[in-house]
Amino acid sequence: MKVRAIDIGGAIGAVALLALAPVLGNSGYLTGVLTLCVIYAIWAASWDFMSGLTGRENFGHALFIGAGAYTAGFLATVYFANPWWSLPLSVVVAMAFAVIVGFPTLRLRGPYFALAMLSAAAIMQRLMLIFWEQTGGEEGLYGLEPLINSPLHYYWFVLAVMVVTAAVLMLLARSHWGLILRAIKGDEATCQAAGINVTFYKIASLMISAAFAGLGGALYAHYQLQVSPPLFSVITSITIIIMVYVGGMGSIWGPVLGAILLTLLTEMLRGFGEYRLWIYTLVLMLILFFLPGGLVAPLWRRLTGARS
């Protein structure tokens, strides 16, 4: 699939704006908010790669996020390892979870895969509380070291990781691999009849999705300097799914912008106090009701005259 010059220009412009925003705003608070924005963008893109392309919605994406974050936490508080080791190891651990959970669950059809993944994440959250002596229980693990001491430089680093993540996933989505995943979404039985190893592609896609989710989890852990059981919660997974739907499922870049916009919206509404949640929910309901295909990706296609 050919990439249009206007799409490349839009991506460069968006990244440049994100990179310059903390400098122009000259605000540590803005830097912190934008750091969260790009971390959520990594999680949203990783969810969209597997679930958005194959149609197998994963309600337990928090399992991989928490696995990556707790890997960073254990390395820092138990093994006192160099914090940079947490990035590759979080990827490996998250992929291992994908294999362990994916083999039995991806064979399920209908809503059962989503429910199975949701259950797996809930079980891990409960285990973090049961084995509180090792995991810190409800308080979690504290004392992680920052990867980069400067908040601004760390934001730029996470932004670079987000750009690489989105680029890699988009290249895969536009390749022969992505074509097969979309074919599986359209008619899995026909793909199997054509000799395509559907199970392999689904598990491999889940592993890729988990890898970037785990990486984002480690980045989040070193940003917050602590990890806790709510990372495995259903709220984490549902929040990411909403961001993907708002951005435009199956586009990779749409969920990235959707995550950034919704995270910024959450912060902008803090001034409304107790009405913040009501307003946020109303905005989401309006978007999902009137724009079921998403907001960001369809709007960009319409403005630039692209075909869906």
Side-chain angles (χ1 to χ4, degrees), residues 155-230:
Y155 165 66
W156 283 337
F157 170 70
V158 177
L159 177 62
V161 173
M162 185 271 286
V163 171
V164 172
T165 297
V168 170
L169 294 179
M170 285 185 66
L171 287 173
L172 287 173
R174 292 172 179 267
S175 68
H176 179 68
W177 187 292
L179 182 62
I180 292 177
L181 295 183
R182 290 186 173 90
I184 292 173
K185 178 180 181 179
D187 194 332
E188 184 174 329
T190 301
C191 290
Q192 289 178 329
I196 297 174
N197 190 339
V198 173
T199 300
F200 165 78
Y201 278 99
K202 289 192 296 185
I203 292 178
S205 299
L206 184 63
M207 290 175 64
I208 295 171
S209 174
F212 287 105
L215 177 61
L219 293 172
Y220 180 84
H222 285 291
Y223 168 68
Q224 297 285 5
L225 304 183
Q226 64 92 27
V227 293
S228 56

Side-chain angles (χ1 to χ4, degrees), residues 26 30 48 55 61 117 161 171 184 190 199 215 227 240 246 262 275 281-282 286 289 297:
N26 192 25
L30 178 60
D48 191 42
H61 202 55
M117 292 299 300
V161 173
L171 287 173
I184 292 173
T190 301
T199 300
L215 177 61
V227 293
I240 295 168
V246 170
L262 288 186
Y275 298 104
T281 303
L282 178 61
L286 291 174
F289 183 78

Side-chain angles (χ1 to χ4, degrees), residues 14-23 152 155-156 159:
V15 172
L17 179 61
L18 288 171
L20 292 175
V23 178
L152 179 59
Y155 165 66
W156 283 337
L159 177 62

Side-chain angles (χ1 to χ4, degrees), residues 12-59:
I12 293 174
V15 172
L17 179 61
L18 288 171
L20 292 175
V23 178
L24 298 176
N26 192 25
S27 168
Y29 171 74
L30 178 60
T31 302
V33 172
L34 290 174
T35 302
L36 285 177
C37 285
V38 293
I39 290 175
Y40 270 101
I42 293 172
W43 292 341
S46 65
W47 188 93
D48 191 42
F49 177 74
M50 192 274 169
S51 297
L53 296 184
T54 65
R56 306 299 297 273
E57 295 185 347
N58 175 10
F59 278 36

Side-chain angles (χ1 to χ4, degrees), residues 116-158:
M117 292 299 300
L118 177 64
S119 300
I123 290 171
M124 282 302 301
Q125 182 180 13
R126 187 61 184 171
L127 288 175
M128 294 301 104
L129 298 174
I130 293 174
F131 297 100
W132 61 271
E133 293 182 347
Q134 291 76 31
T135 65
E138 294 183 356
E139 295 183 357
L141 300 174
Y142 290 84
L144 279 74
E145 296 181 13
L147 292 176
I148 300 173
N149 290 322
S150 168
L152 179 59
H153 293 168
Y154 186 67
Y155 165 66
W156 283 337
F157 170 70
V158 177

